[in-house]
Amino acid sequence: MTAAITWFLYCTGVALVLGLAAQSAESAARSVGRPGRWAWLGALVLSVLIPAASFFGLRMWASPIPVLPAVAPLALPELTVWGAPGGTGLDPVRVLLLLWGCATLLLAARVALGAARLRRGRRGWRAMNVSGVPVWVTKDIGPAVFGLRRASILLPAWALTIDEDLQALMLLHEREHLRAGDPWLVAGVLATVVLIPWNPALWWQLHRLRLAVEMDCDARVLALAPDARTYGRLLIEVGRRRSAPLPVLALSEPITFLERRIRAFTGAGAGAYRRAALLVAVSATLVLLAVCARDPISPQPAPATDALAVSTEGPGFTPYTVRPGLKNSAQVAATLEKNYPPILREAGFGGTATLWFFIDAEGRVQRMQVFKSSGNEQLDAAALKVAAVMEFTPALNRDRPVSVWVQIPITFTPRLAEDALAATPVPDAVVNLRERSARDARPEADGPVFTPYTVRPSLKNQQGVSAALRENYPPLLREAGIRGTAVLWFHIAEDGRVDDVRIATSSGTEALDQAALRVARTMEFTPALNRDQPVAVWVQIPITFSSK
Protein backbone atom coordinates (compact mmCIF):
# COMPACT_ATOMS: atom_id res chain seq x y z
CA MET A 1 0.00 0.00 0.00
CA THR A 2 2.77 2.41 0.97
CA ALA A 3 4.71 1.60 -2.20
CA ALA A 4 1.62 2.27 -4.34
CA ILE A 5 0.96 5.61 -2.66
CA THR A 6 4.64 6.52 -3.04
CA TRP A 7 4.41 5.70 -6.74
CA PHE A 8 1.31 7.91 -7.19
CA LEU A 9 3.02 10.77 -5.36
CA TYR A 10 6.11 10.35 -7.54
CA CYS A 11 4.03 10.52 -10.74
CA THR A 12 2.17 13.60 -9.48
CA GLY A 13 5.42 15.29 -8.45
CA VAL A 14 7.03 14.67 -11.85
CA ALA A 15 3.96 16.07 -13.63
CA LEU A 16 3.92 19.13 -11.36
CA VAL A 17 7.61 19.91 -11.96
CA LEU A 18 7.18 19.44 -15.72
CA GLY A 19 4.11 21.71 -15.61
CA LEU A 20 6.20 24.45 -14.00
CA ALA A 21 8.82 23.89 -16.68
CA ALA A 22 6.14 24.22 -19.38
CA GLN A 23 4.88 27.43 -17.80
CA SER A 24 8.36 28.96 -18.02
CA ALA A 25 8.86 27.67 -21.57
CA GLU A 26 5.50 29.05 -22.71
CA SER A 27 6.29 32.47 -21.24
CA ALA A 28 9.63 32.43 -23.05
CA ALA A 29 7.97 31.49 -26.34
CA ARG A 30 5.32 34.19 -26.06
CA SER A 31 7.97 36.79 -25.22
CA VAL A 32 9.42 36.33 -28.69
CA GLY A 33 6.13 35.79 -30.52
CA ARG A 34 6.23 32.00 -30.72
CA PRO A 35 3.39 29.52 -30.04
CA GLY A 36 3.21 28.13 -26.52
CA ARG A 37 1.20 24.95 -27.00
CA TRP A 38 4.25 22.79 -27.64
CA ALA A 39 5.63 23.47 -24.17
CA TRP A 40 2.49 22.04 -22.55
CA LEU A 41 2.23 19.17 -25.00
CA GLY A 42 5.84 18.22 -24.23
CA ALA A 43 5.16 18.40 -20.49
CA LEU A 44 2.14 16.10 -20.82
CA VAL A 45 4.04 13.58 -22.92
CA LEU A 46 7.02 13.51 -20.52
CA SER A 47 4.68 13.31 -17.51
CA VAL A 48 3.46 9.98 -18.88
CA LEU A 49 6.64 8.61 -20.46
CA ILE A 50 9.06 9.15 -17.54
CA PRO A 51 7.01 7.19 -14.96
CA ALA A 52 6.12 4.58 -17.61
CA ALA A 53 9.81 4.06 -18.43
CA SER A 54 10.51 3.41 -14.76
CA PHE A 55 7.45 1.18 -14.26
CA PHE A 56 8.27 -1.08 -17.22
CA GLY A 57 12.01 -1.20 -16.47
CA LEU A 58 12.97 0.91 -19.50
CA ARG A 59 14.63 3.71 -17.57
CA MET A 60 18.22 3.86 -18.82
CA TRP A 61 19.41 6.61 -16.54
CA ALA A 62 20.09 6.78 -12.81
CA SER A 63 19.47 9.63 -10.44
CA PRO A 64 22.61 11.63 -9.63
CA ILE A 65 21.14 12.45 -6.22
CA PRO A 66 22.99 10.37 -3.60
CA VAL A 67 21.07 7.86 -1.52
CA LEU A 68 21.03 8.87 2.11
CA PRO A 69 21.53 5.86 4.35
CA ALA A 70 18.74 5.07 6.75
CA VAL A 71 19.40 3.32 10.02
CA ALA A 72 17.39 0.13 10.19
CA PRO A 73 16.59 -1.06 13.70
CA LEU A 74 18.58 -4.09 14.80
CA ALA A 75 16.32 -6.87 15.98
CA LEU A 76 16.64 -10.41 17.20
CA PRO A 77 16.24 -13.02 14.48
CA GLU A 78 12.65 -13.94 13.90
CA LEU A 79 11.32 -17.46 14.20
CA THR A 80 12.29 -19.86 11.50
CA VAL A 81 8.65 -20.46 10.59
CA TRP A 82 6.95 -19.16 7.51
CA GLY A 83 3.47 -19.80 6.21
CA ALA A 84 0.77 -18.19 4.13
CA PRO A 85 -1.06 -15.34 5.91
CA GLY A 86 -4.23 -16.47 7.57
CA GLY A 87 -6.18 -13.29 6.81
CA THR A 88 -8.50 -12.91 3.87
CA GLY A 89 -8.61 -9.12 3.77
CA LEU A 90 -8.65 -7.14 0.57
CA ASP A 91 -5.35 -6.33 -1.07
CA PRO A 92 -4.95 -2.52 -0.78
CA VAL A 93 -3.15 -2.35 -4.13
CA ARG A 94 -6.04 -4.17 -5.84
CA VAL A 95 -8.46 -1.73 -4.24
CA LEU A 96 -6.45 1.23 -5.57
CA LEU A 97 -6.35 -0.28 -9.05
CA LEU A 98 -10.10 -0.91 -8.90
CA LEU A 99 -10.76 2.71 -7.90
CA TRP A 100 -8.44 3.86 -10.70
CA GLY A 101 -10.37 1.81 -13.26
CA CYS A 102 -13.73 3.04 -11.98
CA ALA A 103 -12.63 6.69 -12.12
CA THR A 104 -11.38 6.25 -15.69
CA LEU A 105 -14.64 4.62 -16.77
CA LEU A 106 -16.74 7.33 -15.13
CA LEU A 107 -14.78 10.15 -16.76
CA ALA A 108 -14.81 8.43 -20.15
CA ALA A 109 -18.57 7.97 -19.79
CA ARG A 110 -18.98 11.65 -18.94
CA VAL A 111 -17.09 12.72 -22.07
CA ALA A 112 -19.02 10.23 -24.19
CA LEU A 113 -22.35 11.44 -22.80
CA GLY A 114 -21.43 15.04 -23.59
CA ALA A 115 -20.59 14.11 -27.17
CA ALA A 116 -23.81 12.08 -27.45
CA ARG A 117 -25.79 15.04 -26.14
CA LEU A 118 -24.39 17.21 -28.90
CA ARG A 119 -25.20 14.60 -31.54
CA ARG A 120 -28.77 14.32 -30.27
CA GLY A 121 -29.11 18.08 -30.43
CA ARG A 122 -27.93 18.08 -34.02
CA ARG A 123 -31.51 17.51 -35.16
CA GLY A 124 -32.31 21.05 -34.09
CA TRP A 125 -29.32 22.66 -35.85
CA ARG A 126 -29.52 24.44 -39.18
CA ALA A 127 -26.90 24.05 -41.91
CA MET A 128 -25.98 27.44 -43.38
CA ASN A 129 -23.28 29.29 -45.28
CA VAL A 130 -22.12 32.39 -43.41
CA SER A 131 -19.79 34.58 -45.46
CA GLY A 132 -19.09 31.57 -47.67
CA VAL A 133 -18.21 29.29 -44.74
CA PRO A 134 -20.41 26.20 -44.06
CA VAL A 135 -21.54 26.19 -40.44
CA TRP A 136 -24.18 24.68 -38.16
CA VAL A 137 -26.33 27.24 -36.39
CA THR A 138 -27.39 26.17 -32.88
CA LYS A 139 -29.61 27.70 -30.28
CA ASP A 140 -26.87 28.65 -27.78
CA ILE A 141 -23.87 26.35 -28.33
CA GLY A 142 -20.68 27.87 -29.66
CA PRO A 143 -18.86 29.44 -31.31
CA ALA A 144 -16.95 26.14 -31.31
CA VAL A 145 -15.52 23.31 -33.37
CA PHE A 146 -17.24 19.93 -32.99
CA GLY A 147 -16.07 16.53 -34.25
CA LEU A 148 -12.77 15.04 -35.40
CA ARG A 149 -12.93 13.33 -38.81
CA ARG A 150 -15.70 15.62 -40.07
CA ALA A 151 -15.21 18.59 -37.82
CA SER A 152 -17.86 21.30 -38.07
CA ILE A 153 -18.06 24.90 -36.98
CA LEU A 154 -20.91 25.62 -34.56
CA LEU A 155 -22.31 29.15 -34.32
CA PRO A 156 -24.97 30.22 -31.83
CA ALA A 157 -28.01 31.98 -33.26
CA TRP A 158 -26.97 35.29 -31.71
CA ALA A 159 -23.77 35.25 -33.83
CA LEU A 160 -25.90 35.99 -36.91
CA THR A 161 -26.99 39.32 -35.41
CA ILE A 162 -23.59 40.81 -34.53
CA ASP A 163 -21.53 43.19 -36.68
CA GLU A 164 -20.03 41.72 -39.81
CA ASP A 165 -16.44 42.48 -38.73
CA LEU A 166 -16.96 40.60 -35.46
CA GLN A 167 -18.63 37.75 -37.30
CA ALA A 168 -15.76 37.51 -39.77
CA LEU A 169 -13.20 37.33 -36.96
CA MET A 170 -15.27 34.66 -35.22
CA LEU A 171 -15.31 32.50 -38.33
CA LEU A 172 -11.62 33.08 -38.92
CA HIS A 173 -10.83 31.91 -35.40
CA GLU A 174 -12.73 28.65 -35.78
CA ARG A 175 -11.28 28.00 -39.24
CA GLU A 176 -7.77 28.43 -37.80
CA HIS A 177 -8.58 25.76 -35.22
CA LEU A 178 -9.55 23.39 -38.02
CA ARG A 179 -6.52 24.24 -40.15
CA ALA A 180 -4.09 23.65 -37.26
CA GLY A 181 -5.69 20.33 -36.25
CA ASP A 182 -6.44 21.61 -32.75
CA PRO A 183 -9.46 19.31 -32.18
CA TRP A 184 -7.25 16.23 -32.65
CA LEU A 185 -4.58 17.61 -30.33
CA VAL A 186 -6.97 18.42 -27.50
CA ALA A 187 -8.91 15.15 -27.90
CA GLY A 188 -5.74 13.06 -27.76
CA VAL A 189 -4.49 14.79 -24.64
CA LEU A 190 -7.92 14.55 -22.98
CA ALA A 191 -8.00 10.79 -23.65
CA THR A 192 -4.56 10.42 -22.06
CA VAL A 193 -5.55 12.36 -18.94
CA VAL A 194 -8.79 10.37 -18.59
CA LEU A 195 -6.66 7.21 -18.44
CA ILE A 196 -4.75 8.70 -15.46
CA PRO A 197 -7.55 10.49 -13.62
CA TRP A 198 -5.92 10.48 -10.18
CA ASN A 199 -3.06 12.83 -11.18
CA PRO A 200 -4.20 16.44 -10.50
CA ALA A 201 -1.05 17.85 -12.10
CA LEU A 202 -2.07 16.31 -15.44
CA TRP A 203 -5.50 17.95 -15.25
CA TRP A 204 -3.79 21.28 -14.58
CA GLN A 205 -1.56 20.70 -17.61
CA LEU A 206 -4.61 19.91 -19.77
CA HIS A 207 -6.26 23.14 -18.57
CA ARG A 208 -3.17 25.16 -19.49
CA LEU A 209 -2.78 23.37 -22.85
CA ARG A 210 -6.29 24.40 -23.84
CA LEU A 211 -5.50 27.99 -22.90
CA ALA A 212 -2.26 27.82 -24.91
CA VAL A 213 -4.14 26.43 -27.93
CA GLU A 214 -6.59 29.34 -27.80
CA MET A 215 -3.82 31.92 -27.38
CA ASP A 216 -1.92 30.44 -30.33
CA CYS A 217 -5.08 30.62 -32.40
CA ASP A 218 -5.58 34.27 -31.32
CA ALA A 219 -2.05 35.05 -32.49
CA ARG A 220 -2.67 33.49 -35.90
CA VAL A 221 -5.97 35.37 -36.29
CA LEU A 222 -4.33 38.69 -35.42
CA ALA A 223 -1.49 37.93 -37.85
CA LEU A 224 -4.10 37.57 -40.63
CA ALA A 225 -6.39 40.40 -39.44
CA PRO A 226 -4.35 42.79 -37.26
CA ASP A 227 -7.20 44.56 -35.48
CA ALA A 228 -6.58 43.90 -31.77
CA ARG A 229 -9.29 46.29 -30.58
CA THR A 230 -12.06 44.65 -32.62
CA TYR A 231 -10.83 41.18 -31.70
CA GLY A 232 -10.86 42.13 -28.02
CA ARG A 233 -14.46 43.26 -28.40
CA LEU A 234 -15.29 39.87 -29.91
CA LEU A 235 -13.74 37.99 -26.98
CA ILE A 236 -15.65 40.12 -24.48
CA GLU A 237 -18.92 39.59 -26.36
CA VAL A 238 -18.36 35.82 -26.54
CA GLY A 239 -17.43 35.69 -22.85
CA ARG A 240 -20.59 37.58 -21.93
CA ARG A 241 -22.77 35.07 -23.82
CA ARG A 242 -20.73 31.96 -22.92
CA SER A 243 -22.73 28.71 -23.11
CA ALA A 244 -22.51 25.71 -20.79
CA PRO A 245 -19.19 23.79 -21.03
CA LEU A 246 -19.23 20.85 -23.47
CA PRO A 247 -16.53 18.52 -24.89
CA VAL A 248 -15.71 20.87 -27.80
CA LEU A 249 -12.95 23.31 -28.66
CA ALA A 250 -14.77 26.61 -28.16
CA LEU A 251 -14.00 30.26 -28.58
CA SER A 252 -16.27 30.72 -25.53
CA GLU A 253 -13.75 29.50 -22.96
CA PRO A 254 -13.93 30.48 -19.24
CA ILE A 255 -13.66 34.16 -18.28
CA THR A 256 -10.17 33.67 -16.80
CA PHE A 257 -9.05 32.37 -20.21
CA LEU A 258 -10.43 35.47 -21.93
CA GLU A 259 -8.63 37.82 -19.56
CA ARG A 260 -5.28 36.16 -20.22
CA ARG A 261 -5.89 36.07 -23.95
CA ILE A 262 -6.67 39.78 -24.08
CA ARG A 263 -3.53 40.60 -22.07
CA ALA A 264 -1.48 38.55 -24.53
CA PHE A 265 -2.32 40.95 -27.37
CA THR A 266 0.46 43.33 -26.32
CA GLY A 267 3.77 43.05 -28.12
CA ALA A 268 6.97 41.41 -26.96
CA GLY A 269 8.42 44.64 -25.55
CA ALA A 270 12.01 45.58 -24.75
CA GLY A 271 14.33 42.93 -23.32
CA ALA A 272 12.10 40.11 -24.53
CA TYR A 273 14.97 37.92 -25.69
CA ARG A 274 16.91 38.28 -22.42
CA ARG A 275 13.78 37.37 -20.50
CA ALA A 276 13.13 34.44 -22.83
CA ALA A 277 16.69 33.12 -22.34
CA LEU A 278 16.29 33.25 -18.56
CA LEU A 279 12.94 31.46 -18.71
CA VAL A 280 14.35 28.77 -21.01
CA ALA A 281 17.17 28.17 -18.51
CA VAL A 282 14.63 27.81 -15.69
CA SER A 283 12.52 25.45 -17.80
CA ALA A 284 15.51 23.27 -18.74
CA THR A 285 16.54 23.03 -15.07
CA LEU A 286 13.06 21.90 -14.06
CA VAL A 287 12.92 19.31 -16.86
CA LEU A 288 16.30 17.94 -15.76
CA LEU A 289 15.03 17.74 -12.18
CA ALA A 290 11.95 15.77 -13.29
CA VAL A 291 14.00 13.40 -15.45
CA CYS A 292 16.58 12.74 -12.73
CA ALA A 293 14.13 12.49 -9.84
CA ARG A 294 14.53 9.25 -7.94
CA ASP A 295 11.60 6.94 -8.57
CA PRO A 296 10.43 4.19 -6.16
CA ILE A 297 10.83 1.32 -8.65
CA SER A 298 14.09 1.52 -10.60
CA PRO A 299 17.26 0.27 -8.91
CA GLN A 300 19.35 3.11 -7.57
CA PRO A 301 23.01 3.50 -6.69
CA ALA A 302 23.79 1.99 -3.31
CA PRO A 303 24.57 4.32 -0.41
CA ALA A 304 28.11 5.10 0.60
CA THR A 305 27.87 2.50 3.37
CA ASP A 306 27.20 -0.15 0.72
CA ALA A 307 30.42 0.67 -1.10
CA LEU A 308 32.28 0.39 2.20
CA ALA A 309 30.77 -3.05 2.86
CA VAL A 310 31.79 -4.31 -0.57
CA SER A 311 35.32 -2.99 -0.33
CA THR A 312 36.12 -4.50 3.06
CA GLU A 313 37.59 -7.97 3.46
CA GLY A 314 34.87 -9.06 5.84
CA PRO A 315 31.17 -8.40 6.42
CA GLY A 316 29.99 -4.90 7.30
CA PHE A 317 26.65 -3.41 8.32
CA THR A 318 24.43 -1.84 5.64
CA PRO A 319 21.18 -0.11 6.66
CA TYR A 320 18.00 -1.66 5.28
CA THR A 321 14.31 -1.58 6.06
CA VAL A 322 13.17 -4.77 4.25
CA ARG A 323 15.27 -7.91 4.65
CA PRO A 324 16.19 -10.30 1.83
CA GLY A 325 13.76 -13.18 1.27
CA LEU A 326 14.57 -16.73 0.18
CA LYS A 327 12.97 -17.42 -3.23
CA ASN A 328 13.71 -21.11 -3.90
CA SER A 329 12.98 -22.87 -0.63
CA ALA A 330 11.97 -26.17 -2.32
CA GLN A 331 15.25 -26.35 -4.25
CA VAL A 332 17.24 -25.54 -1.11
CA ALA A 333 15.41 -28.26 0.84
CA ALA A 334 16.23 -30.83 -1.84
CA THR A 335 19.88 -29.73 -1.93
CA LEU A 336 20.14 -29.90 1.85
CA GLU A 337 18.73 -33.42 1.89
CA LYS A 338 20.99 -34.51 -0.94
CA ASN A 339 24.17 -33.16 0.66
CA TYR A 340 23.58 -34.31 4.25
CA PRO A 341 26.47 -36.81 4.69
CA PRO A 342 24.80 -40.26 5.01
CA ILE A 343 27.23 -41.43 7.70
CA LEU A 344 26.40 -38.44 9.91
CA ARG A 345 22.67 -38.80 9.25
CA GLU A 346 22.62 -42.49 10.19
CA ALA A 347 24.70 -41.79 13.28
CA GLY A 348 22.17 -39.17 14.37
CA PHE A 349 24.81 -36.42 14.22
CA GLY A 350 23.56 -32.93 13.39
CA GLY A 351 24.80 -29.38 13.67
CA THR A 352 24.44 -25.77 12.59
CA ALA A 353 26.88 -23.92 10.34
CA THR A 354 26.32 -20.16 10.33
CA LEU A 355 27.32 -18.43 7.09
CA TRP A 356 27.80 -14.85 5.98
CA PHE A 357 26.15 -14.00 2.65
CA PHE A 358 26.82 -10.86 0.61
CA ILE A 359 23.61 -10.27 -1.41
CA ASP A 360 23.81 -7.54 -4.05
CA ALA A 361 21.08 -5.08 -5.06
CA GLU A 362 19.68 -7.56 -7.60
CA GLY A 363 19.40 -10.42 -5.09
CA ARG A 364 22.47 -12.33 -6.33
CA VAL A 365 24.84 -13.93 -3.81
CA GLN A 366 28.27 -12.48 -4.57
CA ARG A 367 30.25 -13.82 -1.60
CA MET A 368 29.76 -16.22 1.27
CA GLN A 369 31.96 -17.42 4.10
CA VAL A 370 31.64 -19.49 7.25
CA PHE A 371 31.04 -17.35 10.33
CA LYS A 372 30.62 -20.11 12.89
CA SER A 373 31.51 -23.73 12.22
CA SER A 374 29.13 -26.56 12.99
CA GLY A 375 32.07 -28.37 14.60
CA ASN A 376 32.30 -30.83 11.72
CA GLU A 377 34.10 -30.14 8.46
CA GLN A 378 31.74 -32.37 6.45
CA LEU A 379 28.69 -30.46 7.67
CA ASP A 380 30.40 -27.12 6.97
CA ALA A 381 31.19 -28.26 3.41
CA ALA A 382 27.58 -29.46 2.96
CA ALA A 383 26.27 -26.12 4.24
CA LEU A 384 28.36 -24.28 1.62
CA LYS A 385 26.90 -26.49 -1.12
CA VAL A 386 23.41 -25.69 0.11
CA ALA A 387 24.23 -21.98 0.24
CA ALA A 388 25.47 -22.06 -3.35
CA VAL A 389 21.94 -22.72 -4.70
CA MET A 390 20.11 -20.16 -2.54
CA GLU A 391 18.36 -17.30 -4.37
CA PHE A 392 17.06 -14.16 -2.71
CA THR A 393 14.93 -11.13 -3.24
CA PRO A 394 17.08 -8.01 -2.66
CA ALA A 395 17.09 -6.08 0.59
CA LEU A 396 15.38 -2.67 0.43
CA ASN A 397 16.36 0.59 2.08
CA ARG A 398 13.42 3.00 1.87
CA ASP A 399 12.00 1.02 -1.08
CA ARG A 400 15.35 1.00 -2.92
CA PRO A 401 17.35 -2.21 -3.50
CA VAL A 402 20.66 -2.26 -1.60
CA SER A 403 23.53 -4.70 -1.20
CA VAL A 404 23.81 -6.24 2.27
CA TRP A 405 25.70 -8.78 4.36
CA VAL A 406 23.36 -11.16 6.15
CA GLN A 407 24.03 -14.06 8.49
CA ILE A 408 22.10 -17.30 7.91
CA PRO A 409 22.41 -20.46 10.04
CA ILE A 410 21.94 -23.75 8.17
CA THR A 411 20.92 -26.57 10.47
CA PHE A 412 21.19 -30.31 9.83
CA THR A 413 19.03 -32.43 12.15
CA PRO A 414 18.73 -36.16 11.58
CA ARG A 415 15.14 -36.70 12.70
CA LEU A 416 12.35 -34.46 11.42
CA ALA A 417 8.77 -35.35 10.57
CA GLU A 418 7.99 -31.78 9.40
CA ASP A 419 9.37 -29.81 6.51
CA ALA A 420 10.97 -27.19 8.71
CA LEU A 421 12.75 -25.42 5.91
CA ALA A 422 12.19 -21.81 6.82
CA ALA A 423 11.22 -19.93 3.67
CA THR A 424 11.35 -16.74 5.69
CA PRO A 425 11.99 -13.36 4.07
CA VAL A 426 14.49 -12.51 6.82
CA PRO A 427 18.13 -13.28 7.52
CA ASP A 428 19.02 -15.63 10.35
CA ALA A 429 16.68 -18.24 8.85
CA VAL A 430 17.40 -21.75 10.12
CA VAL A 431 17.25 -24.25 7.27
CA ASN A 432 16.32 -27.78 8.26
CA LEU A 433 16.22 -31.14 6.54
CA ARG A 434 12.84 -32.54 5.44
CA GLU A 435 12.21 -36.22 6.03
CA ARG A 436 10.03 -37.94 3.45
CA SER A 437 8.07 -40.49 5.45
CA ALA A 438 6.77 -41.44 8.86
CA ARG A 439 9.12 -44.44 8.89
CA ASP A 440 12.20 -42.20 8.88
CA ALA A 441 10.85 -40.11 11.74
CA ARG A 442 11.12 -43.12 14.15
CA PRO A 443 8.66 -41.67 16.69
CA GLU A 444 9.10 -42.70 20.29
CA ALA A 445 6.27 -44.45 22.11
CA ASP A 446 3.65 -41.98 23.25
CA GLY A 447 5.63 -39.23 21.49
CA PRO A 448 5.56 -37.35 18.19
CA VAL A 449 4.09 -39.26 15.24
CA PHE A 450 3.64 -38.36 11.61
CA THR A 451 0.15 -37.32 10.47
CA PRO A 452 -0.52 -36.78 6.76
CA TYR A 453 -1.56 -33.27 5.80
CA THR A 454 -1.71 -31.11 2.66
CA VAL A 455 -1.55 -27.65 4.26
CA ARG A 456 0.82 -27.14 7.14
CA PRO A 457 0.09 -24.91 10.13
CA SER A 458 1.11 -21.25 9.87
CA LEU A 459 2.06 -18.88 12.65
CA LYS A 460 -0.61 -16.22 13.28
CA ASN A 461 1.14 -13.93 15.79
CA GLN A 462 4.64 -13.55 14.41
CA GLN A 463 5.11 -10.05 15.83
CA GLY A 464 4.01 -11.12 19.28
CA VAL A 465 6.34 -14.12 19.20
CA SER A 466 9.23 -11.89 18.09
CA ALA A 467 8.54 -9.71 21.14
CA ALA A 468 8.49 -12.83 23.33
CA LEU A 469 11.89 -13.80 21.90
CA ARG A 470 13.33 -10.46 22.97
CA GLU A 471 11.72 -10.59 26.41
CA ASN A 472 12.77 -14.16 27.21
CA TYR A 473 16.36 -14.02 25.92
CA PRO A 474 18.34 -14.28 29.19
CA PRO A 475 20.11 -10.90 29.60
CA LEU A 476 23.42 -12.44 30.77
CA LEU A 477 23.55 -14.69 27.70
CA ARG A 478 22.58 -11.85 25.38
CA GLU A 479 25.31 -9.55 26.74
CA ALA A 480 27.86 -12.36 26.54
CA GLY A 481 26.95 -12.97 22.90
CA ILE A 482 25.89 -16.58 23.58
CA ARG A 483 23.47 -17.79 20.95
CA GLY A 484 21.78 -21.06 20.19
CA THR A 485 18.94 -22.91 18.52
CA ALA A 486 16.50 -25.16 20.33
CA VAL A 487 14.40 -27.43 18.10
CA LEU A 488 10.97 -28.11 19.63
CA TRP A 489 8.18 -30.55 18.92
CA PHE A 490 4.74 -28.88 18.82
CA HIS A 491 1.47 -30.78 18.89
CA ILE A 492 -1.06 -28.51 17.17
CA ALA A 493 -4.67 -29.52 17.69
CA GLU A 494 -7.42 -29.41 15.08
CA ASP A 495 -8.44 -25.93 16.20
CA GLY A 496 -4.85 -24.61 16.01
CA ARG A 497 -4.16 -24.72 19.76
CA VAL A 498 -0.73 -25.87 20.94
CA ASP A 499 -1.48 -28.52 23.58
CA ASP A 500 1.98 -30.10 23.91
CA VAL A 501 5.55 -28.82 23.50
CA ARG A 502 8.74 -30.91 23.88
CA ILE A 503 12.41 -30.30 23.24
CA ALA A 504 13.64 -32.33 20.26
CA THR A 505 17.19 -30.98 20.08
CA SER A 506 18.73 -28.93 22.86
CA SER A 507 20.46 -25.64 22.14
CA GLY A 508 23.27 -26.82 24.39
CA THR A 509 22.34 -24.28 27.06
CA GLU A 510 19.66 -25.06 29.63
CA ALA A 511 18.68 -21.39 30.02
CA LEU A 512 18.06 -21.05 26.27
CA ASP A 513 16.03 -24.27 26.19
CA GLN A 514 13.75 -22.99 28.95
CA ALA A 515 13.47 -19.61 27.22
CA ALA A 516 12.47 -21.40 23.99
CA LEU A 517 9.72 -23.27 25.86
CA ARG A 518 8.39 -19.98 27.25
CA VAL A 519 8.34 -18.48 23.76
CA ALA A 520 6.58 -21.58 22.41
CA ARG A 521 3.71 -21.09 24.83
CA THR A 522 2.94 -17.70 23.21
CA MET A 523 2.64 -19.10 19.70
CA GLU A 524 -0.70 -19.29 17.89
CA PHE A 525 -1.29 -21.25 14.68
CA THR A 526 -3.83 -21.90 12.00
CA PRO A 527 -4.66 -25.65 11.97
CA ALA A 528 -3.11 -28.12 9.54
CA LEU A 529 -5.40 -29.36 6.78
CA ASN A 530 -5.59 -32.73 5.10
CA ARG A 531 -7.75 -32.35 2.00
CA ASP A 532 -9.57 -29.36 3.54
CA GLN A 533 -10.16 -31.23 6.83
CA PRO A 534 -8.44 -29.87 9.99
CA VAL A 535 -6.11 -32.45 11.55
CA ALA A 536 -3.98 -32.59 14.66
CA VAL A 537 -0.26 -32.81 13.80
CA TRP A 538 3.18 -32.90 15.37
CA VAL A 539 5.56 -30.36 13.80
CA GLN A 540 9.14 -29.54 14.63
CA ILE A 541 10.11 -25.87 14.79
CA PRO A 542 13.56 -24.44 15.54
CA ILE A 543 13.73 -21.30 17.68
CA THR A 544 16.94 -19.30 17.40
CA PHE A 545 18.34 -16.82 19.92
CA SER A 546 21.03 -14.48 18.62
CA SER A 547 22.50 -11.30 20.04
CA LYS A 548 23.19 -9.90 16.56
Side-chain angles (χ1 to χ4, degrees), residues 494-518:
E494 294 179 359
D495 58 0
R497 289 181 299 102
V498 177
D499 53 19
D500 194 357
V501 180
R502 307 180 186 185
I503 295 178
T505 303
S506 171
S507 65
T509 305
E510 178 65 22
L512 289 184
D513 292 347
Q514 294 303 316
L517 288 171
R518 290 194 294 273

Side-chain angles (χ1 to χ4, degrees), residues 83-85 418 451-458 492 526-537 539:
E418 155 71 0
T451 303
Y453 58 87
T454 55
V455 177
R456 59 180 169 181
S458 62
I492 301 174
T526 59
L529 300 178
N530 187 23
R531 297 182 180 178
D532 299 329
Q533 294 297 321
V535 291
V537 294
V539 297

Side-chain angles (χ1 to χ4, degrees), residues 111 147-148 181-194 206 209-210 247 249:
V111 173
L148 294 176
D182 291 343
W184 285 97
L185 173 64
V186 174
V189 172
L190 177 61
T192 301
V193 175
V194 166
L206 172 63
L209 174 65
R210 293 190 61 168
L249 194 61

Side-chain angles (χ1 to χ4, degrees), residues 88 91 126 178 212 246 341 366 398 503 530:
T88 59
D91 183 353
R126 289 180 296 154
L178 291 175
L246 288 169
Q366 298 289 356
R398 294 181 181 177
I503 295 178
N530 187 23

Side-chain angles (χ1 to χ4, degrees), residues 15-23 40 44 193 199-210 260:
L16 179 60
V17 172
L18 288 171
L20 295 174
Q23 194 168 25
W40 290 102
L44 276 156
V193 175
N199 193 331
L202 285 183
W203 287 101
W204 170 58
Q205 289 184 18
L206 172 63
H207 175 83
R208 291 304 304 267
L209 174 65
R210 293 190 61 168
R260 294 185 183 183

Side-chain angles (χ1 to χ4, degrees), residues 3 24 49 65 87 119 140 212 227 250 255 283 339 388 450 488 492 512:
S24 296
L49 289 184
I65 305 173
R119 291 191 183 93
D140 58 359
D227 188 351
I255 298 298
S283 177
N339 288 279
F450 175 72
L488 307 183
I492 301 174
L512 289 184

Side-chain angles (χ1 to χ4, degrees), residues 238-321:
V238 170
R240 185 173 67 84
R241 298 173 181 260
R242 186 170 70 94
S243 61
L246 288 169
V248 292
L249 194 61
L251 179 63
S252 56
E253 294 289 355
I255 298 298
T256 54
F257 273 23
L258 299 180
E259 292 174 356
R260 294 185 183 183
R261 290 164 63 182
I262 292 173
R263 292 196 190 104
F265 292 169
T266 58
Y273 285 93
R274 288 195 300 272
R275 179 171 178 268
L278 177 61
L279 289 171
V280 168
V282 172
S283 177
T285 301
L286 291 171
V287 170
L288 185 63
L289 178 62
V291 170
C292 296
R294 191 181 313 284
D295 68 84
I297 290 183
S298 298
Q300 301 294 337
T305 50
D306 260 355
L308 180 63
V310 175
S311 63
T312 55
E313 291 298 326
F317 172 69
T318 302
Y320 58 85
T321 53

